[in-house]
Amino acid sequence: IGLTDAFTDGARKTPRHDTPEPTADLPAGWRDLLRTRLEGLVEAWREPAAWAGEATVGGVTLPAELTAAVVADELVVHGWDLARGTGQPYRPDPVLVRAALEFAERFADLEGGPFGPSVAVPADAPPFDRLLGATGRDRNWTPGG
């Protein structure tokens, strides 16, 4: 929820220099709250101004287009994490996958970068499989296995 707010503010050019603290305690009604915040995030990035200039999120200033790619990566990859970990089907939007893949391949295996070691996948693998590999995930992972 905190990251959703931070990236929404980034789209609106409201600089955020704080980093939301992780917490194990979810607020009451968190499902509805998250849905509402995600809808706000999408609406904020639909505005042409969101894509211009730079955006500051968590004290990091990046070109707005790169910030949008980070958002795509966060949503698509962690959506897979959650779906896979809970045994649910997952079919991400191909446009978001391509945006996230461009970001992930740019920063894969970068010392001190945003991801752990990448997982090898065939060069001709589908984009989503390449995204998972670039972000250190094994497409065949299952809970307990």
Side-chain angles (χ1 to χ4, degrees), residues 93-109:
D93 181 286
V95 172
L96 291 178
V97 169
R98 283 192 299 277
L101 178 59
E102 184 176 319
F103 166 73
E105 286 181 338
R106 182 174 174 183
F107 292 96
D109 296 319

mmCIF file with all atom_site columns, all heavy atoms in Angstrom, residues 93-109:
data_model
loop_
_atom_site.group_PDB
_atom_site.id
_atom_site.type_symbol
_atom_site.label_atom_id
_atom_site.label_alt_id
_atom_site.label_comp_id
_atom_site.label_asym_id
_atom_site.label_entity_id
_atom_site.label_seq_id
_atom_site.pdbx_PDB_ins_code
_atom_site.Cartn_x
_atom_site.Cartn_y
_atom_site.Cartn_z
_atom_site.occupancy
_atom_site.B_iso_or_equiv
_atom_site.pdbx_formal_charge
_atom_site.auth_seq_id
_atom_site.auth_comp_id
_atom_site.auth_asym_id
_atom_site.auth_atom_id
_atom_site.pdbx_PDB_model_num
ATOM 1   N N   . ASP A 1 93  ? -0.575 -8.623  -17.999 1.00 0.00 ? 93  ASP A N   1
ATOM 2   C CA  . ASP A 1 93  ? -0.770 -7.886  -19.236 1.00 0.00 ? 93  ASP A CA  1
ATOM 3   C C   . ASP A 1 93  ? 0.533  -7.871  -20.035 1.00 0.00 ? 93  ASP A C   1
ATOM 4   O O   . ASP A 1 93  ? 1.579  -7.490  -19.504 1.00 0.00 ? 93  ASP A O   1
ATOM 5   C CB  . ASP A 1 93  ? -1.197 -6.449  -18.889 1.00 0.00 ? 93  ASP A CB  1
ATOM 6   C CG  . ASP A 1 93  ? -1.449 -5.620  -20.110 1.00 0.00 ? 93  ASP A CG  1
ATOM 7   O OD1 . ASP A 1 93  ? -0.467 -5.218  -20.775 1.00 0.00 ? 93  ASP A OD1 1
ATOM 8   O OD2 . ASP A 1 93  ? -2.622 -5.358  -20.406 1.00 0.00 ? 93  ASP A OD2 1
ATOM 9   N N   . PRO A 1 94  ? 0.499  -8.268  -21.301 1.00 0.00 ? 94  PRO A N   1
ATOM 10  C CA  . PRO A 1 94  ? 1.729  -8.323  -22.107 1.00 0.00 ? 94  PRO A CA  1
ATOM 11  C C   . PRO A 1 94  ? 2.438  -6.972  -22.249 1.00 0.00 ? 94  PRO A C   1
ATOM 12  O O   . PRO A 1 94  ? 3.661  -6.926  -22.322 1.00 0.00 ? 94  PRO A O   1
ATOM 13  C CB  . PRO A 1 94  ? 1.252  -8.836  -23.470 1.00 0.00 ? 94  PRO A CB  1
ATOM 14  C CG  . PRO A 1 94  ? -0.032 -9.527  -23.206 1.00 0.00 ? 94  PRO A CG  1
ATOM 15  C CD  . PRO A 1 94  ? -0.651 -8.821  -22.032 1.00 0.00 ? 94  PRO A CD  1
ATOM 16  N N   . VAL A 1 95  ? 1.690  -5.887  -22.265 1.00 0.00 ? 95  VAL A N   1
ATOM 17  C CA  . VAL A 1 95  ? 2.313  -4.559  -22.372 1.00 0.00 ? 95  VAL A CA  1
ATOM 18  C C   . VAL A 1 95  ? 3.126  -4.260  -21.111 1.00 0.00 ? 95  VAL A C   1
ATOM 19  O O   . VAL A 1 95  ? 4.250  -3.763  -21.188 1.00 0.00 ? 95  VAL A O   1
ATOM 20  C CB  . VAL A 1 95  ? 1.245  -3.467  -22.628 1.00 0.00 ? 95  VAL A CB  1
ATOM 21  C CG1 . VAL A 1 95  ? 1.851  -2.077  -22.553 1.00 0.00 ? 95  VAL A CG1 1
ATOM 22  C CG2 . VAL A 1 95  ? 0.570  -3.690  -23.979 1.00 0.00 ? 95  VAL A CG2 1
ATOM 23  N N   . LEU A 1 96  ? 2.558  -4.592  -19.946 1.00 0.00 ? 96  LEU A N   1
ATOM 24  C CA  . LEU A 1 96  ? 3.299  -4.383  -18.695 1.00 0.00 ? 96  LEU A CA  1
ATOM 25  C C   . LEU A 1 96  ? 4.509  -5.304  -18.610 1.00 0.00 ? 96  LEU A C   1
ATOM 26  O O   . LEU A 1 96  ? 5.561  -4.907  -18.102 1.00 0.00 ? 96  LEU A O   1
ATOM 27  C CB  . LEU A 1 96  ? 2.384  -4.598  -17.492 1.00 0.00 ? 96  LEU A CB  1
ATOM 28  C CG  . LEU A 1 96  ? 1.292  -3.565  -17.276 1.00 0.00 ? 96  LEU A CG  1
ATOM 29  C CD1 . LEU A 1 96  ? 0.432  -3.946  -16.081 1.00 0.00 ? 96  LEU A CD1 1
ATOM 30  C CD2 . LEU A 1 96  ? 1.888  -2.181  -17.090 1.00 0.00 ? 96  LEU A CD2 1
ATOM 31  N N   . VAL A 1 97  ? 4.359  -6.524  -19.108 1.00 0.00 ? 97  VAL A N   1
ATOM 32  C CA  . VAL A 1 97  ? 5.486  -7.459  -19.111 1.00 0.00 ? 97  VAL A CA  1
ATOM 33  C C   . VAL A 1 97  ? 6.636  -6.883  -19.932 1.00 0.00 ? 97  VAL A C   1
ATOM 34  O O   . VAL A 1 97  ? 7.790  -6.899  -19.496 1.00 0.00 ? 97  VAL A O   1
ATOM 35  C CB  . VAL A 1 97  ? 5.068  -8.841  -19.642 1.00 0.00 ? 97  VAL A CB  1
ATOM 36  C CG1 . VAL A 1 97  ? 6.292  -9.727  -19.902 1.00 0.00 ? 97  VAL A CG1 1
ATOM 37  C CG2 . VAL A 1 97  ? 4.122  -9.524  -18.666 1.00 0.00 ? 97  VAL A CG2 1
ATOM 38  N N   . ARG A 1 98  ? 6.349  -6.358  -21.103 1.00 0.00 ? 98  ARG A N   1
ATOM 39  C CA  . ARG A 1 98  ? 7.419  -5.791  -21.944 1.00 0.00 ? 98  ARG A CA  1
ATOM 40  C C   . ARG A 1 98  ? 8.101  -4.608  -21.265 1.00 0.00 ? 98  ARG A C   1
ATOM 41  O O   . ARG A 1 98  ? 9.324  -4.482  -21.307 1.00 0.00 ? 98  ARG A O   1
ATOM 42  C CB  . ARG A 1 98  ? 6.861  -5.391  -23.317 1.00 0.00 ? 98  ARG A CB  1
ATOM 43  C CG  . ARG A 1 98  ? 6.646  -6.589  -24.229 1.00 0.00 ? 98  ARG A CG  1
ATOM 44  C CD  . ARG A 1 98  ? 6.376  -6.185  -25.659 1.00 0.00 ? 98  ARG A CD  1
ATOM 45  N NE  . ARG A 1 98  ? 5.171  -5.375  -25.832 1.00 0.00 ? 98  ARG A NE  1
ATOM 46  C CZ  . ARG A 1 98  ? 3.935  -5.880  -25.941 1.00 0.00 ? 98  ARG A CZ  1
ATOM 47  N NH1 . ARG A 1 98  ? 3.748  -7.179  -25.901 1.00 0.00 ? 98  ARG A NH1 1
ATOM 48  N NH2 . ARG A 1 98  ? 2.915  -5.073  -26.097 1.00 0.00 ? 98  ARG A NH2 1
ATOM 49  N N   . ALA A 1 99  ? 7.311  -3.742  -20.630 1.00 0.00 ? 99  ALA A N   1
ATOM 50  C CA  . ALA A 1 99  ? 7.901  -2.595  -19.923 1.00 0.00 ? 99  ALA A CA  1
ATOM 51  C C   . ALA A 1 99  ? 8.778  -3.066  -18.775 1.00 0.00 ? 99  ALA A C   1
ATOM 52  O O   . ALA A 1 99  ? 9.897  -2.565  -18.581 1.00 0.00 ? 99  ALA A O   1
ATOM 53  C CB  . ALA A 1 99  ? 6.794  -1.672  -19.413 1.00 0.00 ? 99  ALA A CB  1
ATOM 54  N N   . ALA A 1 100 ? 8.288  -4.020  -18.016 1.00 0.00 ? 100 ALA A N   1
ATOM 55  C CA  . ALA A 1 100 ? 9.059  -4.544  -16.886 1.00 0.00 ? 100 ALA A CA  1
ATOM 56  C C   . ALA A 1 100 ? 10.305 -5.272  -17.360 1.00 0.00 ? 100 ALA A C   1
ATOM 57  O O   . ALA A 1 100 ? 11.376 -5.154  -16.746 1.00 0.00 ? 100 ALA A O   1
ATOM 58  C CB  . ALA A 1 100 ? 8.186  -5.471  -16.040 1.00 0.00 ? 100 ALA A CB  1
ATOM 59  N N   . LEU A 1 101 ? 10.197 -6.010  -18.458 1.00 0.00 ? 101 LEU A N   1
ATOM 60  C CA  . LEU A 1 101 ? 11.336 -6.753  -18.980 1.00 0.00 ? 101 LEU A CA  1
ATOM 61  C C   . LEU A 1 101 ? 12.453 -5.821  -19.410 1.00 0.00 ? 101 LEU A C   1
ATOM 62  O O   . LEU A 1 101 ? 13.632 -6.079  -19.122 1.00 0.00 ? 101 LEU A O   1
ATOM 63  C CB  . LEU A 1 101 ? 10.895 -7.639  -20.149 1.00 0.00 ? 101 LEU A CB  1
ATOM 64  C CG  . LEU A 1 101 ? 12.001 -8.447  -20.833 1.00 0.00 ? 101 LEU A CG  1
ATOM 65  C CD1 . LEU A 1 101 ? 12.685 -9.383  -19.850 1.00 0.00 ? 101 LEU A CD1 1
ATOM 66  C CD2 . LEU A 1 101 ? 11.413 -9.225  -22.013 1.00 0.00 ? 101 LEU A CD2 1
ATOM 67  N N   . GLU A 1 102 ? 12.116 -4.740  -20.058 1.00 0.00 ? 102 GLU A N   1
ATOM 68  C CA  . GLU A 1 102 ? 13.137 -3.781  -20.477 1.00 0.00 ? 102 GLU A CA  1
ATOM 69  C C   . GLU A 1 102 ? 13.906 -3.254  -19.264 1.00 0.00 ? 102 GLU A C   1
ATOM 70  O O   . GLU A 1 102 ? 15.129 -3.164  -19.276 1.00 0.00 ? 102 GLU A O   1
ATOM 71  C CB  . GLU A 1 102 ? 12.488 -2.627  -21.231 1.00 0.00 ? 102 GLU A CB  1
ATOM 72  C CG  . GLU A 1 102 ? 13.481 -1.631  -21.786 1.00 0.00 ? 102 GLU A CG  1
ATOM 73  C CD  . GLU A 1 102 ? 12.795 -0.549  -22.602 1.00 0.00 ? 102 GLU A CD  1
ATOM 74  O OE1 . GLU A 1 102 ? 11.870 -0.862  -23.368 1.00 0.00 ? 102 GLU A OE1 1
ATOM 75  O OE2 . GLU A 1 102 ? 13.211 0.613   -22.453 1.00 0.00 ? 102 GLU A OE2 1
ATOM 76  N N   . PHE A 1 103 ? 13.185 -2.938  -18.203 1.00 0.00 ? 103 PHE A N   1
ATOM 77  C CA  . PHE A 1 103 ? 13.816 -2.469  -16.967 1.00 0.00 ? 103 PHE A CA  1
ATOM 78  C C   . PHE A 1 103 ? 14.667 -3.575  -16.348 1.00 0.00 ? 103 PHE A C   1
ATOM 79  O O   . PHE A 1 103 ? 15.824 -3.367  -15.990 1.00 0.00 ? 103 PHE A O   1
ATOM 80  C CB  . PHE A 1 103 ? 12.741 -2.002  -15.984 1.00 0.00 ? 103 PHE A CB  1
ATOM 81  C CG  . PHE A 1 103 ? 13.241 -1.824  -14.582 1.00 0.00 ? 103 PHE A CG  1
ATOM 82  C CD1 . PHE A 1 103 ? 14.058 -0.759  -14.250 1.00 0.00 ? 103 PHE A CD1 1
ATOM 83  C CD2 . PHE A 1 103 ? 12.896 -2.729  -13.589 1.00 0.00 ? 103 PHE A CD2 1
ATOM 84  C CE1 . PHE A 1 103 ? 14.523 -0.595  -12.950 1.00 0.00 ? 103 PHE A CE1 1
ATOM 85  C CE2 . PHE A 1 103 ? 13.355 -2.572  -12.294 1.00 0.00 ? 103 PHE A CE2 1
ATOM 86  C CZ  . PHE A 1 103 ? 14.169 -1.503  -11.975 1.00 0.00 ? 103 PHE A CZ  1
ATOM 87  N N   . ALA A 1 104 ? 14.083 -4.767  -16.213 1.00 0.00 ? 104 ALA A N   1
ATOM 88  C CA  . ALA A 1 104 ? 14.767 -5.866  -15.528 1.00 0.00 ? 104 ALA A CA  1
ATOM 89  C C   . ALA A 1 104 ? 16.035 -6.285  -16.261 1.00 0.00 ? 104 ALA A C   1
ATOM 90  O O   . ALA A 1 104 ? 17.071 -6.530  -15.625 1.00 0.00 ? 104 ALA A O   1
ATOM 91  C CB  . ALA A 1 104 ? 13.819 -7.057  -15.370 1.00 0.00 ? 104 ALA A CB  1
ATOM 92  N N   . GLU A 1 105 ? 15.972 -6.370  -17.576 1.00 0.00 ? 105 GLU A N   1
ATOM 93  C CA  . GLU A 1 105 ? 17.177 -6.769  -18.316 1.00 0.00 ? 105 GLU A CA  1
ATOM 94  C C   . GLU A 1 105 ? 18.261 -5.706  -18.222 1.00 0.00 ? 105 GLU A C   1
ATOM 95  O O   . GLU A 1 105 ? 19.451 -6.033  -18.199 1.00 0.00 ? 105 GLU A O   1
ATOM 96  C CB  . GLU A 1 105 ? 16.822 -7.059  -19.770 1.00 0.00 ? 105 GLU A CB  1
ATOM 97  C CG  . GLU A 1 105 ? 16.078 -8.363  -19.930 1.00 0.00 ? 105 GLU A CG  1
ATOM 98  C CD  . GLU A 1 105 ? 15.732 -8.716  -21.363 1.00 0.00 ? 105 GLU A CD  1
ATOM 99  O OE1 . GLU A 1 105 ? 15.668 -7.822  -22.225 1.00 0.00 ? 105 GLU A OE1 1
ATOM 100 O OE2 . GLU A 1 105 ? 15.532 -9.911  -21.619 1.00 0.00 ? 105 GLU A OE2 1
ATOM 101 N N   . ARG A 1 106 ? 17.866 -4.471  -18.108 1.00 0.00 ? 106 ARG A N   1
ATOM 102 C CA  . ARG A 1 106 ? 18.842 -3.380  -17.984 1.00 0.00 ? 106 ARG A CA  1
ATOM 103 C C   . ARG A 1 106 ? 19.615 -3.466  -16.665 1.00 0.00 ? 106 ARG A C   1
ATOM 104 O O   . ARG A 1 106 ? 20.786 -3.100  -16.597 1.00 0.00 ? 106 ARG A O   1
ATOM 105 C CB  . ARG A 1 106 ? 18.093 -2.054  -18.083 1.00 0.00 ? 106 ARG A CB  1
ATOM 106 C CG  . ARG A 1 106 ? 18.942 -0.833  -18.026 1.00 0.00 ? 106 ARG A CG  1
ATOM 107 C CD  . ARG A 1 106 ? 18.087 0.387   -18.271 1.00 0.00 ? 106 ARG A CD  1
ATOM 108 N NE  . ARG A 1 106 ? 18.836 1.602   -18.085 1.00 0.00 ? 106 ARG A NE  1
ATOM 109 C CZ  . ARG A 1 106 ? 18.335 2.801   -18.180 1.00 0.00 ? 106 ARG A CZ  1
ATOM 110 N NH1 . ARG A 1 106 ? 17.067 2.962   -18.484 1.00 0.00 ? 106 ARG A NH1 1
ATOM 111 N NH2 . ARG A 1 106 ? 19.081 3.862   -17.982 1.00 0.00 ? 106 ARG A NH2 1
ATOM 112 N N   . PHE A 1 107 ? 18.936 -3.951  -15.609 1.00 0.00 ? 107 PHE A N   1
ATOM 113 C CA  . PHE A 1 107 ? 19.549 -3.950  -14.285 1.00 0.00 ? 107 PHE A CA  1
ATOM 114 C C   . PHE A 1 107 ? 19.835 -5.343  -13.734 1.00 0.00 ? 107 PHE A C   1
ATOM 115 O O   . PHE A 1 107 ? 20.279 -5.477  -12.597 1.00 0.00 ? 107 PHE A O   1
ATOM 116 C CB  . PHE A 1 107 ? 18.667 -3.169  -13.308 1.00 0.00 ? 107 PHE A CB  1
ATOM 117 C CG  . PHE A 1 107 ? 18.632 -1.700  -13.618 1.00 0.00 ? 107 PHE A CG  1
ATOM 118 C CD1 . PHE A 1 107 ? 17.602 -1.166  -14.375 1.00 0.00 ? 107 PHE A CD1 1
ATOM 119 C CD2 . PHE A 1 107 ? 19.645 -0.872  -13.190 1.00 0.00 ? 107 PHE A CD2 1
ATOM 120 C CE1 . PHE A 1 107 ? 17.571 0.185   -14.687 1.00 0.00 ? 107 PHE A CE1 1
ATOM 121 C CE2 . PHE A 1 107 ? 19.630 0.487   -13.495 1.00 0.00 ? 107 PHE A CE2 1
ATOM 122 C CZ  . PHE A 1 107 ? 18.589 1.010   -14.241 1.00 0.00 ? 107 PHE A CZ  1
ATOM 123 N N   . ALA A 1 108 ? 19.588 -6.389  -14.510 1.00 0.00 ? 108 ALA A N   1
ATOM 124 C CA  . ALA A 1 108 ? 19.850 -7.755  -14.043 1.00 0.00 ? 108 ALA A CA  1
ATOM 125 C C   . ALA A 1 108 ? 21.335 -7.939  -13.748 1.00 0.00 ? 108 ALA A C   1
ATOM 126 O O   . ALA A 1 108 ? 22.199 -7.450  -14.477 1.00 0.00 ? 108 ALA A O   1
ATOM 127 C CB  . ALA A 1 108 ? 19.395 -8.764  -15.098 1.00 0.00 ? 108 ALA A CB  1
ATOM 128 N N   . ASP A 1 109 ? 21.614 -8.611  -12.662 1.00 0.00 ? 109 ASP A N   1
ATOM 129 C CA  . ASP A 1 109 ? 22.977 -8.946  -12.245 1.00 0.00 ? 109 ASP A CA  1
ATOM 130 C C   . ASP A 1 109 ? 23.879 -7.736  -12.007 1.00 0.00 ? 109 ASP A C   1
ATOM 131 O O   . ASP A 1 109 ? 25.102 -7.864  -11.979 1.00 0.00 ? 109 ASP A O   1
ATOM 132 C CB  . ASP A 1 109 ? 23.629 -9.905  -13.256 1.00 0.00 ? 109 ASP A CB  1
ATOM 133 C CG  . ASP A 1 109 ? 22.903 -11.241 -13.314 1.00 0.00 ? 109 ASP A CG  1
ATOM 134 O OD1 . ASP A 1 109 ? 22.511 -11.744 -12.241 1.00 0.00 ? 109 ASP A OD1 1
ATOM 135 O OD2 . ASP A 1 109 ? 22.708 -11.761 -14.425 1.00 0.00 ? 109 ASP A OD2 1
#
